[in-house]
């Protein structure tokens, strides 16, 4: 459980990271996506659910600090499970 201070909780740190090993080439795009997600979290999620998060792009999974929640992004199709 995340400790709270007043009505807000401490922010969650989300690492936006490419799934592919050559994903460092996608870093410029991840920066733009992270900025857009940050706006949505701040503008839309926080007022409704009283949650906050910092969305930060990283070039590789190895660069992600252990306190961050990794969110992997891929450019390849994912297999469908039926």
């Amino acid at each position: 459980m995340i400790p709270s201070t007043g009505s807000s909780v401490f922010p969650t740190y989300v690492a936006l990271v490419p799934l592919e090993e050559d994903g460092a080439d996608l870093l410029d795009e991840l920066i733009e996506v992270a900025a857009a997600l940050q706006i949505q979290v701040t503008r839309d999620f926080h007022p409704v659910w009283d949650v906050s998060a910092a969305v930060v792009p990283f070039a590789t999974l190895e660069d992600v600090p252990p306190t961050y929640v990794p969110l992997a992004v891929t450019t390849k199709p994912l297999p469908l499970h039926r």
Side-chain angles (χ1 to χ4, degrees), residues 11-79:
T12 298
Y13 296 96
V14 178
L16 198 59
V17 62
L19 186 61
E20 289 86 12
E21 288 183 21
D22 60 347
D25 297 337
L26 300 173
L27 189 56
D28 289 338
E29 290 179 68
L30 285 180
I31 291 170
E32 290 182 32
V33 172
L37 288 172
Q38 186 64 61
I39 290 169
Q40 187 169 26
V41 166
T42 304
R43 185 190 64 199
D44 301 330
F45 293 175
H46 181 70
V48 175
W49 289 296
D50 197 26
V51 297
S52 58
V55 183
V56 182
F58 289 90
T60 68
L61 190 56
E62 291 77 25
D63 296 336
V64 177
T67 56
Y68 282 62
V69 176
L71 177 60
V73 177
T74 183
T75 59
K76 297 178 183 174
L78 297 175

Side-chain angles (χ1 to χ4, degrees), residues 1-13 46 49-53:
M1 177 167 223
I2 299 173
S4 65
T5 57
S7 63
S8 295
V9 296
F10 289 108
T12 298
Y13 296 96
H46 181 70
W49 289 296
D50 197 26
V51 297
S52 58

